[in-house]
């Protein structure tokens, strides 16, 4: 017999968080998922404070749908029956999510103040890339970009004023980090 290095349960699916921005033209009034090239570095922002050249952060935003129908509301704990594959469900809305191969393990629901919301439609991608801080026309090495929801077209890139005005306030080299709002998991008893 050997000890398992971690708990033997299904990994928490990717999920959404509420944007802290109040500005409609940036991230305001949206839900988002965050992806970092170097997850460990991003997760320990407060501890080490330094971001290495090459770090990339992508914020995928979604419009918000409030779920008011009691039958459609998921429980506050992750309901794995509702974990979906966005690519597969968009391509074939009638597809049973139990057929998913786990490639797009995503939970689109979040609770706030007794209400439940769902990530509805993709609303755009926001990208940050860290270059050498001496690189011309960057924000201390950071390059910002916005893309269409499908990621096929860059709508703006460079030292963007709309990004600069907020990210200058970030305490961790232009990055804000994540508040710990992890959804609860259903766990089975042995």
């Amino acid at each position: 017999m050997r000890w398992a290095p971690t708990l033997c349960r299904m990994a928490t699916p990717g999920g959404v968080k509420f944007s802290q921005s109040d500005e409609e033209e940036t991230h305001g009034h949206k839900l988002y998922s965050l992806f970092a090239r170097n997850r460990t570095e991003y997760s320990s922002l407060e501890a080490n404070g330094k971001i290495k050249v090459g770090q990339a952060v992508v914020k995928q935003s979604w419009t918000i749908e409030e779920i008011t129908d009691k039958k459609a509301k998921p429980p506050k704990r992750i309901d794995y029956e509702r974990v979906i594959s966005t690519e597969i469900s968009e391509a074939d809305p009638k597809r049973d999510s139990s057929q998913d191969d786990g490639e797009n393990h995503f939970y689109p629901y979040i609770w706030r103040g007794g209400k439940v919301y769902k990530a509805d439609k993709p609303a755009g991608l926001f990208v940050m890339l860290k270059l050498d801080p001496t690189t011309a026309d960057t924000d201390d090495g950071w390059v910002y970009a916005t893309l269409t929801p499908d990621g096929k077209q860059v709508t703006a890139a460079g030292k963007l004023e709309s990004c600069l005005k907020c990210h200058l306030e970030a305490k961790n080299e232009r990055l804000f980090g994540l508040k710990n709002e992890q959804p609860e998991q259903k766990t089975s008893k042995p």
Side-chain angles (χ1 to χ4, degrees), residues 46-100:
E46 305 254 342
N48 70 24
K50 285 289 180 193
I51 307 301
K52 293 178 185 167
V53 169
Q55 176 67 296
V57 178
V58 177
K59 191 176 216 181
Q60 180 179 18
S61 62
W62 307 86
T63 60
I64 298 173
E65 175 189 354
E66 182 179 350
I67 306 298
T68 55
D69 179 357
K70 289 184 181 189
K71 291 179 183 176
K73 284 186 180 182
K76 284 190 178 183
R77 291 175 165 233
I78 292 176
D79 178 356
Y80 283 97
E81 297 292 317
R82 293 178 186 244
V83 173
I84 62 166
S85 165
T86 53
E87 283 181 17
I88 293 171
S89 63
E90 285 175 7
D92 183 2
K94 295 178 185 172
R95 182 182 171 98
D96 178 1
S97 65
S98 66
Q99 298 171 354
D100 291 352

Side-chain angles (χ1 to χ4, degrees), residues 8-179:
C8 297
R9 65 178 178 207
M10 182 178 262
T12 303
V16 292
K17 294 186 173 285
F18 274 99
S19 177
Q20 299 299 310
S21 174
D22 293 327
E23 297 183 20
E24 194 71 37
E25 64 275 5
T26 58
H27 307 289
H29 308 291
K30 295 179 184 130
L31 295 176
Y32 71 91
S33 298
L34 194 72
F35 306 90
R37 179 173 183 247
N38 184 328
R39 181 181 182 271
T40 304
E41 181 183 80
Y42 190 85
S43 297
S44 63
L45 279 176
E46 305 254 342
N48 70 24
K50 285 289 180 193
I51 307 301
K52 293 178 185 167
V53 169
Q55 176 67 296
V57 178
V58 177
K59 191 176 216 181
Q60 180 179 18
S61 62
W62 307 86
T63 60
I64 298 173
E65 175 189 354
E66 182 179 350
I67 306 298
T68 55
D69 179 357
K70 289 184 181 189
K71 291 179 183 176
K73 284 186 180 182
K76 284 190 178 183
R77 291 175 165 233
I78 292 176
D79 178 356
Y80 283 97
E81 297 292 317
R82 293 178 186 244
V83 173
I84 62 166
S85 165
T86 53
E87 283 181 17
I88 293 171
S89 63
E90 285 175 7
D92 183 2
K94 295 178 185 172
R95 182 182 171 98
D96 178 1
S97 65
S98 66
Q99 298 171 354
D100 291 352
D101 57 10
E103 291 279 323
N104 297 299
H105 198 56
F106 180 71
Y107 192 68
Y109 300 95
I110 189 167
W111 284 80
R112 182 186 242 184
K115 295 180 179 181
V116 66
Y117 301 89
K118 180 181 179 187
D120 188 27
K121 295 181 180 91
L125 297 168
F126 302 88
V127 179
M128 294 176 66
L129 173 64
K130 175 76 179 215
L131 302 175
D132 184 299
T134 62
T135 305
D137 296 321
T138 66
D139 176 23
D140 198 30
W142 286 104
V143 176
Y144 305 96
T146 58
L147 290 84
T148 56
D150 61 7
K152 292 181 179 178
Q153 184 178 4
V154 176
T155 54
K159 192 174 174 182
L160 304 177
E161 187 64 36
S162 61
C163 299
L164 280 168
K165 66 182 178 182
C166 291
H167 285 273
L168 282 172
E169 298 173 15
K171 296 177 184 173
N172 303 295
E173 263 193 70
R174 307 296 194 262
L175 297 176
F176 290 98
L178 293 173
K179 288 173 61 177

